[in-house]
Amino acid sequence: MNEYRNRWIEDVARALRLEAEERGIEPPEAEIVPATPPKTELGDLAFPMFPFAKTFGMSPALIAEAVVSRLGRSDAGEAHAAGPYVNVRYPRAQVASSVLSACICSDRAYGRNERLAGERVMIEYSSPNTNKPLHLGHLRNDALGESVSRILAACGAQVRSVNLINDRGIHICKSMLAYQEFADGDTPERRGVKGDAFVGDYYVRYEQWAREDPGVEERAREMLRKWEAADEEVVALWRTMNDWVLEGHAATYEATGIRFDALYFESETYTSGKAEVLRGIEEGVFTRQADGSVWVDLSPINLDRKILLRGDGTSVYVTQDIGTVIARYRDWPFDRMIYVVASEQNYHFRVLFHVLGLLGYEWAGQLHHLSYGMVNLPDGRMKSREGTVVDADDLIAELRELAVTEIRAKDREEAVGDVAATAHAVAIGALHYYLLQVTPAKDMIFNPKESLSFTGNTGPYLQYMCARINSMLRKADEQGVAPQESAVQTDRLDTEVEWELVRLIARYPQVVEQAGADYSPAAIAGFLYDLAKTFSGYYHDHPILTAPEPSLRDARLGLARAILVVLRNGLELLNIPYLAIM
RNA sequence: GCGCCCGUAGCUCAGCUGGAUAGAGCGUCGGACUUCGAAUCCGCAGGUCGCAGGUUCGAAUCCUGCCGGGCGUACCA
């Protein structure tokens, strides 16, 4: 459909030029940018004539008429004047047939593009602490990271997803200390709970404990010192508890379809970066203060100054990130690196990227912080102290139970077969759609009640449309009426809504490309909902399997099949499970 | 104070990078299952697009200033 568009832009430009010539006027300079008319009846492309009114000394409507009389019609469609607009209508049957066949033939590859072909993109997301289970904030992070990874891969990039696990530090020692003090050798297995939840309980326990006895704070610091000194007992405990947590996190990733190509552990990299900072002093880009601490001047980027090494020579957060990104670049030289990290850390990444530039890494300009907003509850921020943090596993379990209830209520147990698996897929679909429909940069409110809903603008709605189309195609097969692709007579698709659906299918590849350029799964979510909603209205009013004539039935089945292709591919990019039956 | 982000229907969110009457979902109310699966569809109601200027033929969209909110601005990560 792009060819048509480009051709019409040229044609309209030429017509305007000729018109100007004939009137002895300077050809108009304004760029010709087509828009989309608000309704399909008006056409498929709209050229507003307002910008040319001044140079022509004519009303936009008159210009539109003059332009149209020069354009006439061609095999690329026909133009007509609609007030101040030149509207173009494509040859529908022709376009429909090329769109549908491209979609159905490409099948799982439909929507892919080569925009980022050959580009190596590393993307970091999740990055949990190993002292507690994943919570709702991680779920947004994971959903975004996973989806953006898939979108970039669909744009042709070679993507490597990594998870930097924060497995060391004072917060880790806190849960360890509480465990030592209170657990009496208990284990997750013995208690029959997930390892991350088990350890998380001790973290909470520590917080209570520290409130009653301020002295424990010092004991935690002491433990950290021992850990850094590789004290055997402390390291052994650390290893055991970390493994518990990692196992628990892995189970949650598994349940949510989150994958990584590599795991990085902060415990292995936290001392790196220091050498880089020291090199920076030699090169004069950092300065050392009398107490031995090292600073970077950030006034070039309108910030203050920032410490890079403490007086005692130990690293801070930025220093570590300097080290890890350099190490990663060595492991796997990338053309671009994306950090999926909450907006709280905007400042941190501005500093990090600037510092890497100062250190002379030319790829510093290829680092991006995909900043996303906070997830709040209807009555405010999640607070671990007040116990309002929404646990990831609990939420998923709740969604799953609700889905089971739905399946039973609709009496679909038999049709569905594996109720548990289907319910889980619905739960994940609801969750991911809910988290991804919002523009990443915006804070969002997580309304538990709303998130538990499966009706309306939701993931299950999209899954349901897939299931319905599937069901139709299955029946067509059973009745032996499944059409050959080549046999589809697209001129039978002559209603406005059918044309609208064809246009949506044709637009999908561009949506993927745009979503890749903007790192915005929300763009895909919005598009899929549009498509599903339009189709839903359509098949309600237009019988498909039971269409009055075979050629009409076949054409509609072809359309439905193409829509299924798009929905399925799109859902995959959002990490929403596809269901043939639900 | 300074920096970044955000203000669109009662609530949660869209709005194709400046174009035709600002759209969905939820919620309220009212309709549609002997008809391809009602996790569906259709209709009603609901808006000074935070406010004020500016740019433009044309602004929810771009610029400036206010007002309101969030997050930062640590020798925490």
Side-chain angles (χ1 to χ4, degrees), chain A residues 54-288:
Chain A
K54 203 175 269 173
T55 40
F56 277 92
M58 293 160 67
S59 76
L62 276 175
I63 302 172
E65 272 176 43
V67 168
V68 165
S69 69
R70 283 179 185 279
L71 289 168
R73 76 171 4 147
S74 72
D75 60 335
E78 63 179 309
H80 58 276
Y85 293 89
V86 172
N87 285 347
V88 169
R89 193 182 150 99
Y90 292 153
R92 294 187 171 183
Q94 191 181 314
V95 172
S97 116
S98 72
V99 167
L100 295 191
S101 71
C103 176
I104 291 168
C105 294
S106 307
D107 197 34
R108 302 308 306 277
Y110 185 68
R112 296 185 66 90
N113 65 79
E114 299 300 313
R115 177 51 66 96
L116 302 179
E119 191 170 321
R120 289 157 67 92
V121 180
M122 186 179 279
I123 176 167
E124 174 193 297
Y125 50 95
S126 204
S127 306
N129 293 332
T130 54
N131 62 351
K132 52 187 155 188
L134 302 179
H135 58 73
L136 186 50
H138 293 109
L139 291 177
R140 189 179 190 191
N141 183 310
D142 295 347
L144 264 172
E146 181 68 32
S147 178
V148 169
S149 299
R150 295 180 184 203
I151 290 166
L152 295 178
C155 292
Q158 190 186 340
V159 177
R160 181 174 169 86
S161 59
V162 304
N163 186 359
L164 175 62
I165 294 164
N166 296 301
D167 61 347
R168 65 158 289 280
I170 189 74
H171 52 297
I172 307 297
C173 292
K174 288 175 178 178
S175 45
M176 287 160 60
L177 191 64
Y179 178 83
Q180 257 185 354
E181 184 78 12
F182 304 110
D184 198 21
D186 204 2
T187 66
E189 296 79 48
R190 208 171 300 163
R191 265 212 279 150
V193 294
K194 275 181 80 208
D196 49 349
F198 179 85
V199 173
D201 286 345
Y202 287 100
Y203 187 71
V204 172
R205 190 67 193 272
Y206 171 91
E207 295 288 352
Q208 296 168 344
W209 184 24
R211 245 171 282 149
E212 294 156 13
D213 177 1
V216 300
E217 194 80 32
E218 180 47 39
R219 288 177 63 185
R221 274 197 295 274
E222 171 62 21
M223 191 176 236
L224 181 61
R225 278 191 289 274
K226 280 187 175 169
W227 181 87
E228 295 199 1
D231 177 279
E232 220 169 283
E233 195 190 337
V234 170
V235 168
L237 177 62
W238 169 78
R239 195 149 278 147
T240 304
M241 291 182 73
N242 258 354
D243 285 348
W244 285 338
V245 174
L246 290 173
E247 215 172 289
H249 288 177
T252 307
Y253 291 140
E254 169 76 26
T256 49
I258 306 298
R259 290 182 293 266
F260 301 98
D261 295 313
L263 301 184
Y264 283 82
F265 296 90
E266 208 182 278
S267 57
E268 293 166 2
T269 60
Y270 79 104
T271 52
S272 71
K274 192 171 159 178
E276 287 291 329
V277 172
L278 296 175
R279 184 169 69 78
I281 300 174
E282 280 164 32
E283 294 182 8
V285 290
F286 307 140
T287 54
R288 173 165 259 153

